[in-house]
Amino acid sequence: MTAAALIGLVGCGSGKPFDGPAPESRSSAVPEYVAAYRAGYTAGKAVYDSSGKGAAVRETVWGGCTRRALRAGSAAEKDRGSWVRGCLNGVANTPEQLPTGPMTKRTTDAKMLERFRAWARTEGEAQQVDHVRMLATVQLTEQDYDVELSTDYSAGSGNPGSESLAQSFVEWWDGDHGRDGTARNILVLGADGKRLTAQRI
């Protein structure tokens, strides 16, 4: 067989390398919950490096990491639970323990919302609570959670209505309301789902 014929056979082959769709390229994108964890870990490690071992107690017992997450911007908003977990590992100066999935768990709580509405009516604040469409508890760690109020308020930070609503919720809150763990923050979300304001509980 001539060299030309051999080249022809090799070129033709079975056709598999050239026919059909190209093999799917593996995505190199980092999952959002991993990116959030790493951002939190970096922030927590910076706190540890500047404050030492005492930082772990402050950030864990007093909810420092959960409150830092609210100021961390989009990196934390992708998955606040993962960001907080990373922050807690960082302030404890432990090795990274990357999550295997999103850590934030949201659960609607219609009963809590109704209790808040009932209180608001007795306090003459029913009108502002009427803007609330849903209340959700947002589990960030085994013990810490935030509360989110989804409203019909238009977008834009510094909304007076949202700030007043958050303050009313803080005034109403008097403990765990039947839930295990510690509530750290109240967040008021606009009609587009974005945060309008947040206050410490």
Side-chain angles (χ1 to χ4, degrees), residues 157-168:
S157 60
N159 185 307
S162 68
E163 293 173 5
S164 177
L165 178 61
Q167 184 57 43
S168 292

Side-chain angles (χ1 to χ4, degrees), residues 11-180:
C12 294
S14 64
K16 290 180 180 178
F18 304 99
D19 296 339
E24 292 184 7
S25 58
R26 293 184 179 179
S27 174
S28 59
V30 176
E32 290 184 339
Y33 56 85
V34 171
Y37 175 92
R38 286 177 171 162
Y41 188 89
T42 298
K45 190 64 167 58
V47 173
Y48 173 86
D49 290 341
S50 64
S51 303
K53 294 181 179 179
V57 175
R58 291 194 306 273
E59 301 300 307
T60 303
V61 175
W62 302 110
C65 280
T66 63
R67 296 188 173 109
R68 289 178 188 277
L70 296 180
R71 302 191 299 269
S74 60
E77 287 307 307
K78 294 174 182 177
D79 186 350
R80 274 205 317 280
S82 291
W83 195 98
V84 171
R85 176 65 60 87
C87 178
L88 292 173
N89 288 163
V91 297
N93 197 33
T94 61
E96 285 191 342
Q97 301 170 24
L98 297 179
T100 58
M103 300 295 296
T104 305
K105 297 178 181 178
R106 283 178 173 82
T107 305
T108 58
D109 194 329
K111 291 183 178 179
M112 186 186 294
L113 176 56
E114 186 51 42
R115 291 198 300 269
F116 179 41
R117 287 187 194 278
W119 173 86
R121 294 187 192 105
T122 64
E123 297 295 317
E125 299 178 5
Q127 185 174 0
Q128 67 176 6
V129 181
D130 284 344
H131 288 279
V132 181
R133 297 293 172 256
M134 183 178 68
L135 182 153
T137 56
V138 186
Q139 201 72 34
L140 303 175
T141 70
E142 291 182 0
Q143 292 297 317
D144 293 339
Y145 64 96
D146 288 342
V147 178
E148 289 181 347
L149 298 177
S150 297
T151 72
D152 59 8
Y153 286 127
S154 58
S157 60
N159 185 307
S162 68
E163 293 173 5
S164 177
L165 178 61
Q167 184 57 43
S168 292
F169 189 90
V170 172
E171 291 175 6
W172 170 71
W173 189 261
D174 62 358
D176 60 13
H177 284 276
R179 285 185 52 88
D180 294 330

